[in-house]
């Protein structure tokens, strides 16, 4: 009996191990069922930002490392050959998550079935042009694209406007896609948010990942207000307020703000080209957090449709601090606003109201 018992035990153990392995592999295969692809539209895809953005999307930076994607790229007819070259490069890169690529100059084809639309294409202001001239051009562009999105995109399509003037272009798009939920049309101020994080990390010589909860209020322009009053840094002794660690209110209220406001111009001066890599990366961050959620206790900045929070007029696309959960953003409520902040927030709101009036005059 002792002899058989000594053999039976290993056999039983091996049987249990085999059964456990079969269960684990079955669960693993179930969990690794490939997700349905998400279709992402990038307009102005042959341009600098588009060229930097599409490989980030294809690699999973925007929607997750396990999320297959289909990329639709749209550009104007003169850029058709360049757009074809971008498609060739995406194919040549053999991205495992990239299930298909469409490169087109047809706005209807580009918008068909898209779940996420990143609007990079727009008419840039050129030397000698008046603001109204630029606005008239962009009204025309966004009117056509809004109509195509409304008719052909997925009903729950999330829209991010990157092309400047981003806030007002987003407002124009909303005007001509009235059936789109207002919460689904946003503009990019995450670039400014990330720039603010970078400036604080450089000033304090800490890792940028340890800095959180800066806020960008208002317009993606030189009137924006980068606010650190609620920002913190993770230290060995726990979270500490940025103002306490910097210990220089003069710098925070002047140089820091102007550096973030003018960062785009500084990059143009240095590169002789506008921000592309950082804009593309920030666009990925914006959509990633909107779709997949912000970490608990952390907020980000998004240009969203104002509901009157913090005394900002309803009906503007204005940058607020937001949290995201289950594909929905919510404006962070209850933040204390001091007199200095109030003046800055109102000044950028005034500029946005003026841009809105100008855009509506172009519509008429």
């Amino acid at each position: 009996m002792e002899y058989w018992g000594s053999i039976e035990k290993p056999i039983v153990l091996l049987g249990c191990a085999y059964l456990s392995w079969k269960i684990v592999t079955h669960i693993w295969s179930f969990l690794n069922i490939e997700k349905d692809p998400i279709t992402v539209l990038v307009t102005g895809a042959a341009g600098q930002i588009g060229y930097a953005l599409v490989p980030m999307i294809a690699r999973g930076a925007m929607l997750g490392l396990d999320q297959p994607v289909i990329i639709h790229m749209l550009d104007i007819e003169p850029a058709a050959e360049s757009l074809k070259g971008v498609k060739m490069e995406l194919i040549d890169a053999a991205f495992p998550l990239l299930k298909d690529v469409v490169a087109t100059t047809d706005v209807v084809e580009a918008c068909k079935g898209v779940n996420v639309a990143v609007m990079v294409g727009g008419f840039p202001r050129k030397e000698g042009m008046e603001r109204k001239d630029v606005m008239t051009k962009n009204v025309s562009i966004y009117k056509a694209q809004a109509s195509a999105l409304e008719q052909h995109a997925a009903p729950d399509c999330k829209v991010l406007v990157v092309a400047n003037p981003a806030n007002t272009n987003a407002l124009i798009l909303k005007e001509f896609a009235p059936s789109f939920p207002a919460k689904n049309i946003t503009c990019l101020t995450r670039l400014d948010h990330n720039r603010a994080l970078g400036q604080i990390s450089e000033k304090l010589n800490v890792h940028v990942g340890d800095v959180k909860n800066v806020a960008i209020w208002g317009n993606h322009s030189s009137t924006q207000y980068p606010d650190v009053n609620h920002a913190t840094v993770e230290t060995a002794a726990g979270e500490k307020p940025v103002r306490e660690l910097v210990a220089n209110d003069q710098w925070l209220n002047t140089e820091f703000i102007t550096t973030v406001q003018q960062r785009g111009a500084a990059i143009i001066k240095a590169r002789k080209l506008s921000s592309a890599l950082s804009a593309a990366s920030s666009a990925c961050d914006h959509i990633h957090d909107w779709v997949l959620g912000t970490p608990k206790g952390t907020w980000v900045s998004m240009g969203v449709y104002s509901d009157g929070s913090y005394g900002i007029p309803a009906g503007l696309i204005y940058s607020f601090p937001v949290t995201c959960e289950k594909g929905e953003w919510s404006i962070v409520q209850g933040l204390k606003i001091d007199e200095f902040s109030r003046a800055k927030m109102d000044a950028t709101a005034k500029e946005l109201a003026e841009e809105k009036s100008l855009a509506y005059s172009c519509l008429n």
Side-chain angles (χ1 to χ4, degrees):
M1 289 296 293
E2 286 180 12
Y3 173 77
W4 285 106
S6 63
I7 292 177
E8 286 166 1
K9 285 177 185 176
I11 291 173
V12 170
L13 289 171
L14 280 170
C16 289
Y18 176 76
L19 184 61
S20 298
W21 175 78
K22 290 294 286 181
I23 291 169
V24 168
T25 54
H26 179 73
I27 292 171
W28 182 255
S29 65
F30 175 76
L31 291 175
N32 278 271
I33 294 172
E34 189 171 90
K35 296 177 178 179
D36 290 333
I38 290 176
T39 302
V40 182
L41 165 66
V42 178
T43 72
Q48 274 206 100
I49 296 173
Y51 184 72
L53 177 59
V54 289
M56 295 182 188
I57 298 169
R59 197 175 284 282
M62 178 177 280
L63 293 164
L65 299 176
D66 62 345
Q67 178 59 62
V69 292
I70 296 168
I71 297 178
H72 286 197
M73 301 189 297
L74 174 69
D75 218 311
I76 56 176
E77 194 63 44
E81 279 301 305
S82 179
L83 192 64
K84 186 192 292 185
V86 178
K87 179 177 178 177
M88 291 164 65
E89 288 206 72
L90 283 173
I91 292 166
D92 292 350
F95 294 107
L97 292 173
L98 185 58
K99 297 304 177 184
D100 195 13
V101 187
V102 173
T104 183
T105 58
D106 180 351
V107 67
V108 171
E109 182 185 8
C111 290
K112 277 183 182 174
V114 299
N115 308 106
V116 174
V118 186
M119 318 300 284
V120 180
F123 195 90
R125 187 171 183 175
K126 297 180 179 179
E127 191 174 351
M129 289 185 73
E130 296 295 327
R131 285 178 70 211
K132 188 166 184 176
D133 298 330
V134 182
M135 194 70 74
T136 300
K137 294 280 190 183
N138 280 301
V139 164
S140 176
I141 292 167
Y142 277 84
K143 180 178 179 180
Q145 293 182 353
S147 178
L149 279 170
E150 186 174 43
Q151 292 177 52
H152 302 287
D156 61 346
C157 178
K158 288 177 164 54
V159 180
L160 167 62
V161 177
V162 176
N164 289 320
N167 300 60
T168 302
N169 283 345
L171 197 63
I172 294 165
L173 193 146
K174 182 192 172 298
E175 182 72 24
F176 287 103
S179 69
F180 255 58
K183 285 183 76 91
N184 281 29
I185 297 174
T186 65
C187 80
L188 185 70
T189 57
R190 182 62 176 268
L191 175 56
D192 310 300
H193 181 99
N194 288 350
R195 285 168 171 167
L197 293 175
Q199 289 303 305
I200 296 299
S201 81
E202 290 280 296
K203 183 71 171 178
L204 295 174
N205 195 27
V206 297
H207 189 271
V208 71
D210 291 330
V211 186
K212 69 176 186 179
N213 295 351
V214 299
I216 303 297
W217 301 93
N219 200 2
H220 176 62
S221 74
S222 60
T223 68
Q224 65 176 266
Y225 171 44
D227 177 8
V228 298
N229 286 327
H230 312 282
T232 61
V233 177
E234 187 64 45
T235 72
E239 282 189 3
K240 298 287 184 181
V242 163
R243 280 202 179 271
E244 178 185 316
L245 293 175
V246 172
N248 185 342
D249 284 350
Q250 174 65 21
W251 181 82
L252 287 170
N253 291 343
T254 55
E255 187 181 336
F256 163 73
I257 292 173
T258 55
T259 297
V260 176
Q261 289 173 334
Q262 302 292 339
R263 188 67 162 183
I267 288 169
I268 290 172
K269 186 177 179 181
R271 285 189 76 224
K272 309 300 184 280
L273 294 166
S274 61
S275 309
L277 183 154
S278 56
S281 179
S282 299
C284 284
D285 291 343
H286 177 112
I287 296 293
H288 179 278
D289 289 349
W290 188 3
V291 172
L292 300 175
T294 47
K296 188 174 181 181
T298 300
W299 64 66
V300 295
S301 300
M302 290 171 60
V304 300
Y305 199 66
S306 173
D307 60 359
S309 292
Y310 295 99
I312 302 305
L316 296 178
I317 302 281
Y318 187 98
S319 182
F320 290 93
V322 302
T323 56
C324 303
E325 186 176 6
K326 297 178 180 176
E328 300 284 340
W329 55 262
S330 301
I331 296 172
V332 176
Q333 298 293 337
L335 298 178
K336 186 178 178 182
I337 305 298
D338 60 21
E339 278 186 36
F340 179 85
S341 297
R342 182 77 266 164
K344 294 285 187 186
M345 291 163 66
D346 289 346
T348 192
K350 182 173 181 287
E351 182 184 57
L352 281 170
E354 289 168 357
E355 280 189 15
K356 180 180 179 179
S357 296
L358 183 61
Y360 276 57
S361 73
C362 297
L363 297 179
N364 297 327

